[in-house]
Amino acid sequence: MAAGCVSRMIIRMVRRTAPAIGLNKMAITIKSEKEIALMRESCRLLAIVHKELGEAIRPGMSTWEIDQMGDQLIRKLGGVPNFKNYNGYPASICVSVNDEVVHGIPSKKRILQEGDIVSLDAGLIYKGYHSDAARTHGVGKVSPAAEKLMKVTEESFFVGIKMAKAGNHLFDISNAIDAYVRPFRYGIVRDLVGHGIGTKLHEDPQIPNFRQLRRGPLLRPGMTLAIEPMINMGRADVEWLDDDWTVVTQDGSWSAHYENTVLITNGEPEILTLYD
Ligand code: MF3
Ligand code: CO
């Protein structure tokens, strides 16, 4: 399907419906060298945004301030925030605190406290090409359990992309992430998945972070993918708040998110949104 079907699906990094994966025709775009150069630049700028935002996080700050800072920085760098007004999303940076999984809406009233964990999801468009990446940060000193959740989530991404090479199949990535996370007995979010990215924020294919029975489409050089494990300390189940955006864990457990835009090559994948 892609980011396209029904209202809700469009917005959530492509929300999964049961029969969708693999059964429908997919159109996974292969980027030309010229397009890849633009993707690289879009992603390089986004990496700067994440670095700056990460360094700015501190207790007492509102999530609105983070959005302001991110929005201004994206524009200063020559990009356009791609989340802003995306299906009505009201901000440029998704800021999700503690039990919020993704798509939290920045607010002047939401003040970060020491010990919180905060997921920042950001993206931009540069010369028509989208980038998308997320990081989860501790606010001041956080509990060992929260540290571990953030670490395992980030590690799961890196384990996953070891499989992200031409000749492998897409769900080799999904299965690797699942196999890595499972022993920690965390909940791997299933209602939201990663996605292709390029001239649109959400392109085919959908990229689940949990085990698949099929291997999925063949990976080819020139594919650009946003791979984004969302991992809960408790159960996998999530729900949507009444603002119709904020995704929270059903059991109130804390959640971490880590995402990069990645280029499939003939060799190792290129992680385009890493800061040097
Ligand atoms: N990385 C998020 C995603 O892939 C970005 C959401 S943009 C929003 O869904 F505008 F929908 F929040
Ligand atoms: Co994404």
Side-chain angles (χ1 to χ4, degrees), residues 61-198:
M61 192 177 197
S62 76
T63 57
W64 178 84
E65 283 175 74
I66 298 171
D67 178 55
Q68 289 299 298
M69 187 180 291
D71 183 279
Q72 284 165 19
L73 186 53
I74 288 169
R75 295 177 198 279
K76 196 181 97 188
L77 291 166
V80 175
N82 48 1
F83 296 0
K84 187 110 188 194
N85 300 321
Y86 183 84
N87 289 117
Y89 184 75
S92 297
I93 314 289
C94 300
V95 186
S96 309
V97 184
N98 299 343
D99 65 318
E100 296 170 356
V101 179
V102 287
H103 302 170
I105 299 178
S107 157
K108 286 184 180 173
K109 289 189 221 143
R110 187 75 196 253
I111 308 297
L112 297 179
Q113 314 282 340
E114 173 104 20
D116 286 347
I117 62 172
V118 59
S119 301
L120 306 184
D121 193 346
L124 61 83
I125 315 174
Y126 176 78
K127 295 191 178 166
Y129 285 81
H130 289 255
S131 49
D132 185 5
R135 303 283 181 263
T136 302
H137 301 283
V139 181
K141 193 169 160 44
V142 306
S143 72
E147 283 291 356
K148 184 174 161 197
L149 175 73
M150 293 190 290
K151 180 164 171 276
V152 169
T153 302
E154 180 171 333
E155 284 169 352
S156 75
F157 166 88
F158 287 96
V159 168
I161 64 148
K162 282 194 186 147
M163 306 305 286
K165 43 178 107 169
N168 278 356
H169 289 253
L170 184 69
F171 298 159
D172 297 340
I173 302 172
S174 312
N175 291 338
I177 292 172
D178 185 298
Y180 180 71
V181 172
R182 198 161 282 265
F184 294 97
R185 315 200 81 229
Y186 290 145
I188 304 174
V189 174
R190 304 167 76 92
D191 288 356
L192 303 123
V193 297
H195 50 94
I197 181 168

Side-chain angles (χ1 to χ4, degrees), residues 13 83 103 121-122 132-134 193-195 197 201-202 226-228 257 259 261:
M13 331 161 167
F83 296 0
H103 302 170
D121 193 346
D132 185 5
V193 297
H195 50 94
I197 181 168
L201 173 59
H202 292 144
I227 298 169
E228 50 182 316
H257 184 200
E259 172 182 29
T261 299

